[in-house]
Structures are given as C-alpha cells and as structure tokens.
Amino acid sequence: MIRLNDVRVGEEQEQFVLAVLRSGNIAQGSFVETLEREFATRHGVAHAVAVSNGTLALVAALQALHIGPGAEVITSPFSFVATLSAILSVGATARFADIGRDFNIDPGRIESLINSRTRAIMPVHLYGQMAEMDSISAIARGAGLDIIEDAAQAVGARYRGRSAGSFGVGCFSFYATKNLSTGEGGMVTTNDETVADRLRLLRNHGMRRRYEYVMPGHNYRLTDTAAALGIPVLRQIDQLSEARRRNAMEILQRLRGVNGLLLPVVHPDRDHVFHQLTFRLTEEAGVSRDEFIESLHAQGVEAAVYYPAPLPTLECFDGDPRVCLDPIPQAMRAAREVVSLPVHQYLTPLDVDQIVESVHKVLAHE
Ligand SMILES: *Cc1c(COP(=O)(O)O)cnc(C)c1O
C-alpha cells in the first residue's frame, strides 16, 4: 500500500536523540535552542519560540497578543479543528471568511466581517500553500489588526520570496505527519521583541528568573529529545519540499484533462511545500468520493479527505455563540469534493506511476 504519510527516522536523527539521552538533560535545553535559532534563520524572522505542539502555538500566539473574551478573530472555515479550538480556548469569537479556488481564505471576503471587536486575521496556509498574504497584510494594516498565521502545514513555504511565519505571528506544528516532525511539537515565530518575550514567559509559568513570576503562565515547553528529531530535518527542509513538489508536479501533469478531476491551483509566486496533494472530485467523475477512495485502496493507493466538514458546521460547536455562522458556500463545496493523494518525499517513480495509473483506471471505470 502506498501510504499518505510515511514517517521514517534517519540515522542522523538517531544520533542526535542518543546525544540528548546520554547528556542526561532530556527536558528543554540546548537542542531546543538550536532548533529555535535555525528555524528563525530559515524563516527570516527575529524570534522563534518552541512549544509543545501546533495547537498550543496558536493558543500562545493569541495570548501573547492579548486576544481573549470579547475579541473576534477572522479565520478560514476550511481547516483542521485546532484552528478553531485555539480561538475558542482563549475565550475569543471566531468569524469565517469563505475560501477561494486555492483552498485558502479569500481576502475579498474578509473586510465585510471587520467590526470594532475584530482583533486579528488568522489565515491558514492549507496543504502547504500560503494564503494571499499581500492582500491580507494590507487589510490588516488598514484596520489595525494583528496577523496570526496558522502555518502548521507550511514549514518552509514561501510567498513571493518571504517565508511562512514572517508576515505576523507564525504558528507551526511538528506533529508526526507534518513535513517537519518531532512526534509532537510546535514553533511560534515573530519579529516583535515584546511578543517574543511574552511567548517565552507564557511557555515557562510566567517566570523570568527562578521563582520570579511576572505574569500568569503555563507549561508549553518542548523537550530536547523532540528537538533532536527536528534539527536534521530542518537542515534538509528545502530538499524535502523540492522532492514533494517534484512528485506533485509530475502527478498533476499526468492527470491534466481527466474528466471529473479539478486540479488544485498552484500559484507560481508561492513555494508550495505540498503537505498534501489535494484535488476536487466533481460530479462528472461518475463515482462518489467514497467509491473513488475505496477503488484506489483496492489498487494499493491510500487516499483520504482533508477535511470532510467546514469548521463552523461541526456538530460539537452547535449553538456556541462564539462560532459565527457566516456564509461559506465555497468551503461547503470543497468539503464535499476534496480528496488527497500520497505526495511525500519517499515516493519512488514506480509509486508515482501506480498512483497516476490507479486514478486513470478508476475514472475510466475499468
Ligand atoms: C496539525 C495542525 C494544527 C495543530 O497542530 P498539532 O501539532 O497537531 O497540535 C493546527 N492547524 C492546522 C491547519 C494543522 O494542520
């Protein structure tokens, strides 16, 4: 079976982890510091603060910007649930601007949602392609709003030469299946010294020096063991992204013109890092999405739906007044039609052939 996610731990990672274990310092230490320093350099930002996971990266970013009860955050309705739960967990209210053809928040839908309570825009760089950041930055600047990037799927991605996480406060995830993985882990990036200071305090019990508490905080720390897994991957992240991009471009090229498949929009001015390779399956396909996925499985190709329902329609948020039911027809449609295929860096040319041929077969109803 060609899997959607293939997690492999290399020799260098083993060596780094072993060095941590032998050092006896297995909590946050020098490996976390190294990961932070190199992550900041790679993403062109002044500060990178490591945290326990991507969800807490979003929570810490909101807290560092003093966003809480009464504040509204405008985000994408088409994302992983953590985007919304982070907003709710600080007590803020979520508003949803519909998405565009690239699956990301449509800047043209943002302005009508802005009011006196709005504090931030939280674009999600879905599947590894960055949102339209020039327009979003202009809107934020004009209205005096903060930008929090949910860059959980976009480690190493760029928009017109500028890295994800450098347009506002950037939130990254190092979960097992993400492009850069430490098992669990996350990172917050910023160019603002004050925000970076608050992030470091929040992460460590609000403590500046031993038992000197300057604010109420939490424990959001990352371990050196986790950081050790991430450092060698970060050093190769551009080559890994390039391998994903090559696979994606080859598959897209060979599926062009197939009836029932709507290929994704890949903007030439953005370095898409293809966390996922996601298509739309339209009615012309002549098979349901479930049947399509099942037939691919039968041919040894794993496929899956990211994500089957827009965030504000999830039942667990029913009736929550802080989850606004803004109109999101494009997100509704995407949730019905999207399907993702394997694109990871370990695919062989034979795997790519098998993926392409399987899709052709299913849609030719052979
Ligand atoms: C993975 C992910 C998160 C959450 O990250 P965790 O490390 O799993 O907590 C948030 N937003 C998006 C878009 C994600 O894909």
Side-chain angles (χ1 to χ4, degrees), residues 84-134:
L84 174 54
S85 37
I87 294 170
L88 296 180
S89 76
V90 300
T93 295
R95 301 295 305 259
F96 300 95
D98 206 3
I99 58 171
R101 276 287 316 279
D102 63 356
F103 300 116
N104 284 324
I105 193 166
D106 178 351
R109 301 269 154 194
I110 293 174
E111 261 167 327
S112 64
L113 298 176
I114 296 176
N115 61 49
S116 58
R117 293 177 299 277
T118 312
R119 284 291 321 280
I121 305 172
M122 186 186 280
V124 182
H125 305 318
L126 202 70
Y127 306 140
Q129 180 166 238
M130 288 182 67
E132 178 55 64
M133 292 312 294
D134 277 353

Side-chain angles (χ1 to χ4, degrees), residues 67 112 118 143 149 177 186 202 233 256 277 314 363:
I67 294 171
S112 64
T118 312
E149 300 172 63
T177 57
L202 281 164
V233 183
R256 194 157 294 161
L277 174 59
L314 293 175
L363 293 180

Side-chain angles (χ1 to χ4, degrees), residues 331-342:
M332 296 297 284
R333 183 179 163 204
R336 281 194 305 271
E337 296 183 342
V338 289
V339 54
S340 301
L341 297 175

